[in-house]
Amino acid sequence: MTWETIRKPATETAAANLSDADRSTWGWDDARALLDGLPGGGLNIAYEAVDRHVANGHGDQQAMRWLGKDGTRRVLTYADLKEQTARFANVLVAAGLKPGDRVYSLMGREPELYVAALGTLKAGMVFTPLFSAFGPEPIQTRMEIGEANAIVTTDALYRRKLSKVRDAIPSLKAVLIAGDTAPEGCIALGPAMAAASPDFICAPTRPEDMALIHFTSGTTGKPKGAVHVHQAVVNHAATGRNALEMRPGRVYWCTADPGWVTGTSYGIIAPLVHRVTMIVDEAEFDLDRWYATLQNEGVQIWYTAPTAIRMMMRAGRDAAAGHDFSALEFMGSVGEPLNPEGVVWGQEVFGRPFHDNWWQTETGGIMIANTRAMDIKPGSMGLPLPGITAGIVEKTEDGLRELPVGEVGELALRPGWPSMMREYLHQPDRYAKAFADGWYLSGDLAMRDTDGYFWFVGRADDLIKTSGHLIGPFEVESALIEHDAVAEAGVIGIPDETAGEVVKAYVALNPGYEPSEELEKDIRGHARKKLGPAVAPREVVFRKTLPKTRSGKIMRRLLKARELGLPEGDISTLESDES
Ligand code: ATP
Ligand code: MG
């Protein structure tokens, strides 16, 4: 399977924030220089994202264009954000909360969520976003793990979910409800904000003070609570510039929900730090709405995910035709491996390729990326960003061994970048296990090529061992979706007496295709031609959808548990599925 390298024209490399020359010299001091620091000393994410822009005379600039589900459109300037986050911080203080207290959110992508996130940081408190679709149990577990002191939510979500678990969380001091009224025992945010002072001097937090707790997606098991500090903003500033091409005034749309780390690091912090205008869409994925948003809002930078890209591909090119995407300058993708076909599809439909980049909740920000100046090898995650040292390692009896070019091993990073997690809450052993011999171990398998590009192979847990071969599911899945009928694929290994394991694929079909024995044979034949008989799936089964986390990641462990009749494990982040 060969995909041609996409060579960037000189105009693109010249326009890029990070040039090849920069790449070798750019360091964390350059990233720090993108920030102001607190006037009296110290560092605070909310000051860098909001207040300093107003102090520097940019209060009138649009910070956020909010698109409501019902068609409402609201614009907030940086001055508006400064005032509202100040009022919110004052409300927290009035409710008896102290710096260091943990403030959770449980709500959809409404303006109040963004105000709450930044207002909490401004008050020197710790922000923890929860995905609004969680049920009462996952909410309770996460509030217990993080010892929630306050939560911001809506009346409906409170009544449906939170009221049931509230009494089980002894640390909880305040429940804030967006809107003008609130159930008994809760604070209505509308009147409280109106009565609060519009001024608040940003808390004098230090670089190492705790700022955020993010729960991982739960793809491989029970979600972990990763702790991040204010200094993470140094990496958000660096990567916003180097990986995502942010500049003041650019129109930027990150489609991730702040319930996941992408939606906070790159859906709130990095864009505001760079004084861009963020698009926030309250609605879920809807093809026509997305195409209209890209066109009508004049989106210049777009950061999205492979699942969404595959849904667009599934709908076909015709659905995109007739729209004007000429404002687009840069498109990034994260969260899952991006199939090479998706990269190329971007080029054909939007006139630009999608730029895949890799990172995790634990890393707090982008680590490996295809940047604007770089030639793209479709299917590769790109190069480590400046300041990041990545390697491919293998565990041996004498410790870790770095593997040479071309060999598959665990993707590891040299610790020390500013947005590295500082702990897994209440899991010191697990945290300690993530480090060895001066490396942070990601749990992902990858390979590096002669040009230094990194290629994702699979999660360590998902690797398939068949007749002496090691097979990463991503390679097989990418080959499968190249078949005209296949929209999505999830690949696992199932036990086999002779081969150890054999490859089994689950696929969801494109519109216009129906499951049949003939189609199954045809897809297997296609895979055999692309991959060879040892790697191609022995069996292909059809599913309406594949089980995914709410952040859009295929849950291969669930396919496997169901296949083998094993316990399903933690499925608190599972999106409802029909498989
Ligand atoms: P958990 O750790 O709870 O199992 P998770 O690892 O899915 O969940 P996240 O931190 O949200 O939680 O996701 C990070 C993981 O997503 C990475 O470790 C990797 O497996 C996958 N990922 C992210 N970006 C990419 C990418 N560009 N290519 C391939 N995989 C990616
Ligand atoms: Mg993980």
Side-chain angles (χ1 to χ4, degrees), residues 496-527:
D496 179 82
E497 265 186 25
T498 43
E501 273 186 314
V502 290
V503 178
K504 177 164 181 173
Y506 294 77
V507 300
L509 295 177
N510 278 318
Y513 290 92
E514 288 301 322
S516 70
E517 257 176 55
E518 211 177 313
L519 183 58
E520 199 254 355
K521 249 171 84 182
D522 195 60
I523 293 172
R524 273 195 294 116
H526 160 89

Short mmCIF file of all heavy atoms in Angstrom, two decimals, residues 496-527:
data_model
loop_
_atom_site.label_atom_id
_atom_site.label_comp_id
_atom_site.label_asym_id
_atom_site.label_seq_id
_atom_site.Cartn_x
_atom_site.Cartn_y
_atom_site.Cartn_z
N ASP A 496 -6.52 -18.48 18.20
CA ASP A 496 -6.58 -19.53 17.20
C ASP A 496 -5.52 -20.57 17.56
O ASP A 496 -4.39 -20.21 17.89
CB ASP A 496 -6.27 -18.92 15.82
CG ASP A 496 -6.29 -19.97 14.72
OD1 ASP A 496 -7.39 -20.29 14.25
OD2 ASP A 496 -5.20 -20.48 14.37
N GLU A 497 -5.90 -21.84 17.48
CA GLU A 497 -5.00 -22.90 17.95
C GLU A 497 -3.68 -22.94 17.20
O GLU A 497 -2.62 -23.06 17.81
CB GLU A 497 -5.69 -24.25 17.84
CG GLU A 497 -6.35 -24.64 19.14
CD GLU A 497 -6.92 -26.03 19.07
OE1 GLU A 497 -6.44 -26.85 18.27
OE2 GLU A 497 -7.87 -26.29 19.84
N THR A 498 -3.73 -22.80 15.89
CA THR A 498 -2.47 -22.92 15.15
C THR A 498 -1.72 -21.60 15.03
O THR A 498 -0.50 -21.56 15.21
CB THR A 498 -2.72 -23.49 13.73
OG1 THR A 498 -3.87 -22.84 13.20
CG2 THR A 498 -2.93 -24.97 13.77
N ALA A 499 -2.44 -20.50 14.76
CA ALA A 499 -1.74 -19.24 14.50
C ALA A 499 -1.51 -18.41 15.77
O ALA A 499 -0.83 -17.40 15.72
CB ALA A 499 -2.54 -18.42 13.49
N GLY A 500 -2.07 -18.85 16.89
CA GLY A 500 -1.99 -18.02 18.09
C GLY A 500 -3.17 -17.06 18.13
O GLY A 500 -4.04 -17.13 18.97
N GLU A 501 -3.19 -16.17 17.12
CA GLU A 501 -4.34 -15.29 16.95
C GLU A 501 -4.61 -15.14 15.46
O GLU A 501 -3.68 -15.23 14.65
CB GLU A 501 -4.04 -13.89 17.50
CG GLU A 501 -4.32 -13.72 18.98
CD GLU A 501 -4.14 -12.26 19.42
OE1 GLU A 501 -3.14 -11.63 19.05
OE2 GLU A 501 -5.01 -11.77 20.14
N VAL A 502 -5.86 -14.91 15.10
CA VAL A 502 -6.14 -14.53 13.70
C VAL A 502 -6.89 -13.20 13.70
O VAL A 502 -7.51 -12.80 14.67
CB VAL A 502 -6.98 -15.60 12.95
CG1 VAL A 502 -6.16 -16.85 12.70
CG2 VAL A 502 -8.27 -15.91 13.70
N VAL A 503 -6.76 -12.53 12.55
CA VAL A 503 -7.32 -11.19 12.43
C VAL A 503 -8.81 -11.27 12.08
O VAL A 503 -9.19 -11.98 11.15
CB VAL A 503 -6.57 -10.40 11.33
CG1 VAL A 503 -7.16 -9.01 11.15
CG2 VAL A 503 -5.09 -10.33 11.65
N LYS A 504 -9.60 -10.53 12.83
CA LYS A 504 -11.02 -10.46 12.52
C LYS A 504 -11.42 -9.00 12.40
O LYS A 504 -10.98 -8.17 13.19
CB LYS A 504 -11.82 -11.14 13.65
CG LYS A 504 -13.31 -11.04 13.44
CD LYS A 504 -14.07 -12.01 14.30
CE LYS A 504 -15.57 -11.88 14.01
NZ LYS A 504 -16.36 -12.90 14.70
N ALA A 505 -12.23 -8.70 11.39
CA ALA A 505 -12.60 -7.30 11.16
C ALA A 505 -14.11 -7.10 11.31
O ALA A 505 -14.90 -7.96 10.93
CB ALA A 505 -12.17 -6.89 9.76
N TYR A 506 -14.45 -5.95 11.87
CA TYR A 506 -15.85 -5.51 11.94
C TYR A 506 -15.94 -4.28 11.06
O TYR A 506 -15.11 -3.38 11.21
CB TYR A 506 -16.21 -5.13 13.38
CG TYR A 506 -16.19 -6.30 14.32
CD1 TYR A 506 -14.98 -6.81 14.79
CD2 TYR A 506 -17.38 -6.91 14.72
CE1 TYR A 506 -14.96 -7.90 15.63
CE2 TYR A 506 -17.36 -8.00 15.57
CZ TYR A 506 -16.16 -8.49 16.01
OH TYR A 506 -16.13 -9.57 16.84
N VAL A 507 -16.90 -4.26 10.17
CA VAL A 507 -16.98 -3.09 9.30
C VAL A 507 -18.40 -2.52 9.27
O VAL A 507 -19.38 -3.24 9.43
CB VAL A 507 -16.53 -3.39 7.84
CG1 VAL A 507 -15.09 -3.88 7.80
CG2 VAL A 507 -17.46 -4.39 7.18
N ALA A 508 -18.47 -1.20 9.09
CA ALA A 508 -19.74 -0.52 8.83
C ALA A 508 -19.69 -0.06 7.38
O ALA A 508 -18.64 0.34 6.89
CB ALA A 508 -19.90 0.67 9.76
N LEU A 509 -20.82 -0.18 6.70
CA LEU A 509 -20.82 0.05 5.25
C LEU A 509 -21.24 1.46 4.86
O LEU A 509 -21.97 2.15 5.60
CB LEU A 509 -21.77 -0.96 4.59
CG LEU A 509 -21.34 -2.42 4.72
CD1 LEU A 509 -22.39 -3.34 4.09
CD2 LEU A 509 -19.97 -2.66 4.07
N ASN A 510 -20.81 1.86 3.69
CA ASN A 510 -21.24 3.13 3.11
C ASN A 510 -22.68 3.01 2.65
O ASN A 510 -23.16 1.90 2.38
CB ASN A 510 -20.34 3.47 1.91
CG ASN A 510 -19.05 4.11 2.35
OD1 ASN A 510 -19.05 4.96 3.24
ND2 ASN A 510 -17.96 3.71 1.73
N PRO A 511 -23.38 4.15 2.52
CA PRO A 511 -24.75 4.10 2.02
C PRO A 511 -24.77 3.43 0.65
O PRO A 511 -23.83 3.59 -0.15
CB PRO A 511 -25.14 5.59 1.90
CG PRO A 511 -24.15 6.35 2.70
CD PRO A 511 -22.92 5.51 2.81
N GLY A 512 -25.82 2.67 0.39
CA GLY A 512 -25.94 2.02 -0.92
C GLY A 512 -25.39 0.60 -0.93
O GLY A 512 -25.47 -0.08 -1.94
N TYR A 513 -24.80 0.16 0.18
CA TYR A 513 -24.26 -1.20 0.25
C TYR A 513 -25.01 -2.00 1.32
O TYR A 513 -25.31 -1.47 2.39
CB TYR A 513 -22.77 -1.18 0.57
CG TYR A 513 -21.93 -0.64 -0.56
CD1 TYR A 513 -21.62 0.72 -0.61
CD2 TYR A 513 -21.47 -1.47 -1.58
CE1 TYR A 513 -20.86 1.23 -1.66
CE2 TYR A 513 -20.72 -0.96 -2.63
CZ TYR A 513 -20.41 0.39 -2.66
OH TYR A 513 -19.66 0.89 -3.69
N GLU A 514 -25.29 -3.25 0.99
CA GLU A 514 -25.96 -4.13 1.95
C GLU A 514 -25.04 -5.30 2.28
O GLU A 514 -24.32 -5.79 1.40
CB GLU A 514 -27.25 -4.70 1.33
CG GLU A 514 -28.39 -3.70 1.19
CD GLU A 514 -28.81 -3.10 2.52
OE1 GLU A 514 -28.81 -3.83 3.53
OE2 GLU A 514 -29.12 -1.88 2.56
N PRO A 515 -25.06 -5.76 3.54
CA PRO A 515 -24.24 -6.93 3.89
C PRO A 515 -24.65 -8.14 3.05
O PRO A 515 -25.83 -8.36 2.80
CB PRO A 515 -24.60 -7.19 5.36
CG PRO A 515 -25.23 -5.94 5.86
CD PRO A 515 -25.84 -5.25 4.68
N SER A 516 -23.66 -8.88 2.58
CA SER A 516 -23.94 -10.14 1.88
C SER A 516 -22.68 -10.99 1.93
O SER A 516 -21.58 -10.47 2.15
CB SER A 516 -24.33 -9.89 0.43
OG SER A 516 -23.20 -9.44 -0.29
N GLU A 517 -22.85 -12.28 1.70
CA GLU A 517 -21.69 -13.17 1.69
C GLU A 517 -20.71 -12.77 0.60
O GLU A 517 -19.50 -12.79 0.78
CB GLU A 517 -22.14 -14.60 1.42
CG GLU A 517 -22.15 -15.45 2.68
CD GLU A 517 -22.68 -16.84 2.39
OE1 GLU A 517 -22.13 -17.51 1.48
OE2 GLU A 517 -23.65 -17.24 3.07
N GLU A 518 -21.31 -12.36 -0.52
CA GLU A 518 -20.48 -11.98 -1.66
C GLU A 518 -19.62 -10.76 -1.33
O GLU A 518 -18.42 -10.72 -1.64
CB GLU A 518 -21.44 -11.62 -2.79
CG GLU A 518 -20.91 -11.89 -4.17
CD GLU A 518 -22.02 -11.55 -5.15
OE1 GLU A 518 -23.17 -11.99 -4.91
OE2 GLU A 518 -21.73 -10.82 -6.10
N LEU A 519 -20.26 -9.78 -0.68
CA LEU A 519 -19.52 -8.56 -0.31
C LEU A 519 -18.42 -8.90 0.70
O LEU A 519 -17.30 -8.39 0.61
CB LEU A 519 -20.48 -7.52 0.27
CG LEU A 519 -19.86 -6.17 0.63
CD1 LEU A 519 -19.18 -5.52 -0.57
CD2 LEU A 519 -20.92 -5.21 1.19
N GLU A 520 -18.74 -9.79 1.63
CA GLU A 520 -17.74 -10.19 2.63
C GLU A 520 -16.51 -10.76 1.92
O GLU A 520 -15.37 -10.42 2.23
CB GLU A 520 -18.35 -11.22 3.59
CG GLU A 520 -17.58 -11.36 4.89
CD GLU A 520 -16.77 -12.64 5.02
OE1 GLU A 520 -16.85 -13.50 4.12
OE2 GLU A 520 -16.03 -12.78 6.00
N LYS A 521 -16.78 -11.63 0.93
CA LYS A 521 -15.68 -12.26 0.19
C LYS A 521 -14.87 -11.22 -0.59
O LYS A 521 -13.65 -11.26 -0.63
CB LYS A 521 -16.24 -13.30 -0.81
CG LYS A 521 -15.88 -14.71 -0.39
CD LYS A 521 -16.59 -15.75 -1.19
CE LYS A 521 -15.90 -16.09 -2.51
NZ LYS A 521 -16.68 -17.08 -3.27
N ASP A 522 -15.62 -10.28 -1.16
CA ASP A 522 -14.97 -9.26 -1.96
C ASP A 522 -14.06 -8.37 -1.07
O ASP A 522 -12.94 -8.03 -1.46
CB ASP A 522 -16.04 -8.40 -2.64
CG ASP A 522 -15.44 -7.56 -3.74
OD1 ASP A 522 -14.87 -8.17 -4.68
OD2 ASP A 522 -15.50 -6.33 -3.64
N ILE A 523 -14.54 -8.03 0.12
CA ILE A 523 -13.75 -7.19 1.03
C ILE A 523 -12.51 -7.96 1.50
O ILE A 523 -11.41 -7.41 1.55
CB ILE A 523 -14.61 -6.73 2.24
CG1 ILE A 523 -15.72 -5.78 1.76
CG2 ILE A 523 -13.74 -6.04 3.29
CD1 ILE A 523 -16.74 -5.40 2.82
N ARG A 524 -12.70 -9.23 1.79
CA ARG A 524 -11.54 -10.04 2.22
C ARG A 524 -10.52 -10.14 1.09
O ARG A 524 -9.31 -10.05 1.31
CB ARG A 524 -11.98 -11.42 2.68
CG ARG A 524 -12.37 -11.44 4.16
CD ARG A 524 -12.46 -12.83 4.74
NE ARG A 524 -13.55 -13.60 4.15
CZ ARG A 524 -13.38 -14.70 3.42
NH1 ARG A 524 -12.18 -15.18 3.21
NH2 ARG A 524 -14.42 -15.35 2.92
N GLY A 525 -11.04 -10.31 -0.13
CA GLY A 525 -10.15 -10.40 -1.29
C GLY A 525 -9.35 -9.11 -1.47
O GLY A 525 -8.14 -9.13 -1.71
N HIS A 526 -10.05 -8.00 -1.31
CA HIS A 526 -9.40 -6.69 -1.43
C HIS A 526 -8.30 -6.55 -0.37
O HIS A 526 -7.19 -6.12 -0.67
CB HIS A 526 -10.48 -5.61 -1.26
CG HIS A 526 -9.96 -4.26 -0.88
ND1 HIS A 526 -9.59 -3.32 -1.81
CD2 HIS A 526 -9.74 -3.71 0.34
CE1 HIS A 526 -9.17 -2.24 -1.17
NE2 HIS A 526 -9.25 -2.45 0.12
N ALA A 527 -8.61 -6.97 0.85
CA ALA A 527 -7.63 -6.85 1.94
C ALA A 527 -6.43 -7.76 1.67
O ALA A 527 -5.28 -7.39 1.93
CB ALA A 527 -8.28 -7.19 3.27
#
